[in-house]
Amino acid sequence: MDIDGFRAELETRLLIEKEYLIQELSSINDDKEKLDLLGRFNEKYKELIKRLANESGIDLNALYPTENPLNSENLSNEQIILGKTMGVYDKLADELYEKITSVH
């Protein structure tokens, strides 16, 4: 599994989703609805991981192959992907939050 390629593609797609949600902000007047966009962004993150894994033929439930067979940490592909991509998600979610809270 090319985790760096996966991460880059996920970042590109999440950036697009973030921009769509920012465009939606102008049509939302309720502050709670605006904050709900963060939840939708989180759902998009999870959906995109599943979609990209499917497109790449990655079984998210399969154990991630380790170079050290004595390694007692048996992590799934999904756990590895989440760990390696959470920084991307956090950065974009923070940017989205900034946009949501700065719009009056």
Side-chain angles (χ1 to χ4, degrees):
M1 172 173 54
D2 174 18
I3 192 72
D4 291 328
F6 191 99
R7 184 180 185 276
E9 182 63 23
L10 179 67
E11 184 171 14
T12 300
R13 293 186 190 193
L14 272 177
L15 189 57
I16 292 167
E17 293 297 334
K18 182 189 86 165
E19 292 305 316
Y20 283 138
L21 292 174
I22 288 171
Q23 288 176 5
E24 240 180 270
L25 274 175
S26 62
S27 65
I28 300 173
N29 294 322
D30 182 64
D31 287 342
K32 184 187 178 318
E33 283 183 53
K34 287 179 183 178
L35 288 175
D36 286 344
L37 292 177
L38 288 170
R40 286 181 37 204
F41 187 69
N42 181 273
E43 290 303 313
K44 287 291 183 182
Y45 170 63
K46 294 179 206 172
E47 288 172 21
L48 283 171
I49 286 177
K50 289 176 185 171
R51 186 177 311 141
L52 278 170
N54 189 38
E55 290 172 8
S56 303
I58 298 170
D59 179 358
L60 292 175
N61 296 313
L63 292 181
Y64 183 77
T66 61
E67 294 175 12
N68 181 359
L70 301 176
N71 187 351
S72 62
E73 283 191 49
N74 293 321
L75 300 175
S76 69
N77 286 332
E78 183 175 31
Q79 289 170 314
I80 295 295
I81 289 169
L82 287 171
K84 298 282 186 178
T85 62
M86 189 56 70
V88 169
Y89 168 79
D90 286 342
K91 180 183 90 142
L92 295 175
D94 286 348
E95 291 172 7
L96 179 58
Y97 178 78
E98 289 297 319
K99 286 286 187 186
I100 289 170
T101 57
S102 69
V103 173
H104 301 291

